[in-house]
Amino acid sequence: MHSPVEAKALIFDCDGTLLNTMPLHWSAWCAICRETGLRFNKESFYALAGVPGREIIRELANQQGIVLDPMEVYARKKAFFLNGLKSVRAIPCVVQFALEARRTGIPTAVASGSSRAQVEQALTETGIRDLFNVIVGNEDYEKAKPSPDAFLTAANQLGVLPQFCWAFEDSDIGIEAIKRAGFAKFVDVRHLEGYPEDDSR
């Protein structure tokens, strides 16, 4: 794929897009499901990629009749994830776009369904935090993907109109969010050469 020289800003999802964090997130989900009795299968996990964990926990508990504190369980899930960050690697075929943007002076942002602090720590651990001008976490907007809020918030913080932005995603609901945001183009990173395969999907 050619470098997006006509774009005025690039906005990236984080988990599964910039960083190969999905196996670690799944391990964290398995851990809290064992602790709480929640049922959550891998198909649903990937389908809901980009939805804040606290919302997934609240919905699962409501559906399954399990009484718990969603924020407390979410905090345990996040702690499990952060403890495993040393195993996470950046995804080179995606990061190359951020590197090129930095070289050419195109502003960049991350628009994530995870908390801003978690995203900041993950990007720092993998050595790519400095590639991004803005980090948007789930506390920075109202409605989760597939709502366009995350991407529109990132574009607004960069000071670039949506129709001049490109965005990068690894999930169907994330791509739907980009389309609703009215961005110039979306890149489904799952189709990029060199994107890591996950045989468990």
Side-chain angles (χ1 to χ4, degrees), residues 180-201:
R180 292 185 188 182
F183 278 20
K185 184 179 178 65
F186 71 85
V187 176
D188 185 339
V189 301
R190 294 170 293 188
H191 301 313
L192 292 177
E193 184 176 352
Y195 185 79
E197 293 185 7
D198 181 358
D199 294 334
S200 62
R201 280 204 191 212

Side-chain angles (χ1 to χ4, degrees), residues 55-66:
E55 295 186 18
I56 296 173
I57 292 165
R58 183 177 290 110
E59 184 62 25
L60 291 175
N62 288 340
Q63 290 175 356
Q64 298 169 23
I66 296 175

Side-chain angles (χ1 to χ4, degrees), residues 85-98:
L85 270 181
K86 296 294 185 186
S87 67
V88 168
R89 298 290 180 268
I91 299 175
C93 63
V94 181
V95 173
Q96 69 177 357
F97 289 96

Side-chain angles (χ1 to χ4, degrees), residues 101-178:
R102 184 175 187 178
R103 187 186 69 79
T104 56
I106 298 172
T108 57
V110 175
S112 178
S114 296
S115 71
R116 192 182 334 109
Q118 181 172 305
V119 174
E120 292 268 10
Q121 185 169 341
L123 294 173
T124 299
E125 289 275 358
T126 51
I128 62 171
R129 171 61 185 89
D130 290 346
L131 294 179
F132 305 100
N133 304 98
V134 164
I135 306 295
V136 171
N138 60 30
E139 63 268 63
D140 297 317
Y141 52 87
E142 183 177 350
K143 295 180 181 178
K145 302 170 186 177
S147 163
D149 286 17
F151 290 105
L152 290 174
T153 299
N156 182 62
Q157 290 191 17
L158 288 175
V160 179
L161 293 173
Q163 60 264 35
F164 300 119
C165 296
W166 283 29
F168 297 73
E169 259 285 359
D170 72 307
S171 71
D172 293 342
I173 64 170
I175 290 169
E176 178 63 25
I178 297 167

Side-chain angles (χ1 to χ4, degrees), residues 47-86:
L48 293 172
V51 177
R54 62 179 183 270
E55 295 186 18
I56 296 173
I57 292 165
R58 183 177 290 110
E59 184 62 25
L60 291 175
N62 288 340
Q63 290 175 356
Q64 298 169 23
I66 296 175
V67 178
L68 49 73
D69 179 345
M71 293 306 298
E72 188 272 334
V73 175
Y74 176 62
R76 297 206 317 260
K77 187 263 177 185
K78 187 162 70 170
F80 187 100
F81 173 83
L82 293 175
N83 286 337
L85 270 181
K86 296 294 185 186

